[in-house]
Amino acid sequence: MTNFRVLAGSVAVVAGFMLQACYTAPAPTPVPTRSIGERFEQSWQAARGAAADVGVRITSEDRASGTLRGDQGSSNVTITLATQADSSIHVGFAVTGGGKSQDTNVKEHLTRAYQRRMGR
């Protein structure tokens, strides 16, 4: 009886190891690569939409330099998009002219709205 238990236990352990060895991870799904122009356009539209979401009135757009300018109340807003050497896109928000807490609040709302529009 003892030999049967040892044999059955050994078989169970070996079967467990064999089942683990049979697993193969699924093949990685290739991530579709988008051109820098497509990614810039997505970021540009997200930045414009974020400005609208928080009530910033866009007064000028210069896509070539990657700059959006606008205002919200007494705050002046500048949104810049710059392509980096690693092909990433840096988006920056500068808010000036209003009170310090108002400018900080507008900048935080812009950042959150942009992140939301980018699906982050």
Side-chain angles (χ1 to χ4, degrees):
M1 184 87 170
T2 304
N3 287 339
F4 179 72
R5 284 186 178 163
V6 171
L7 180 62
S10 298
V11 169
V13 168
V14 170
F17 284 125
M18 289 177 65
L19 286 175
Q20 286 180 348
C22 293
Y23 174 77
T24 20
T29 306
V31 176
T33 56
R34 295 178 299 150
S35 72
I36 190 72
E38 291 170 325
R39 289 185 288 121
F40 184 89
E41 179 63 24
Q42 179 187 16
S43 295
W44 182 266
Q45 293 303 325
R48 289 182 80 234
D53 291 348
V54 301
V56 172
R57 182 178 61 95
I58 299 295
T59 56
S60 71
E61 296 184 28
D62 184 359
R63 189 180 290 261
S65 70
T67 306
L68 295 160
R69 295 186 192 282
D71 55 57
Q72 183 194 53
S74 59
S75 294
N76 298 311
V77 177
T78 303
I79 303 170
T80 55
L81 287 83
T83 304
Q84 304 296 301
D86 65 355
S87 296
S88 64
I89 298 170
H90 179 266
V91 179
F93 302 100
V95 183
T96 60
K100 183 176 180 175
S101 64
Q102 177 184 343
D103 290 349
T104 301
N105 191 33
V106 171
K107 185 175 180 178
E108 288 174 2
H109 282 96
L110 273 169
T111 302
R112 283 197 301 269
Y114 175 78
Q115 295 293 339
R116 191 171 44 252
R117 283 182 168 266
M118 289 298 288
R120 298 179 189 154

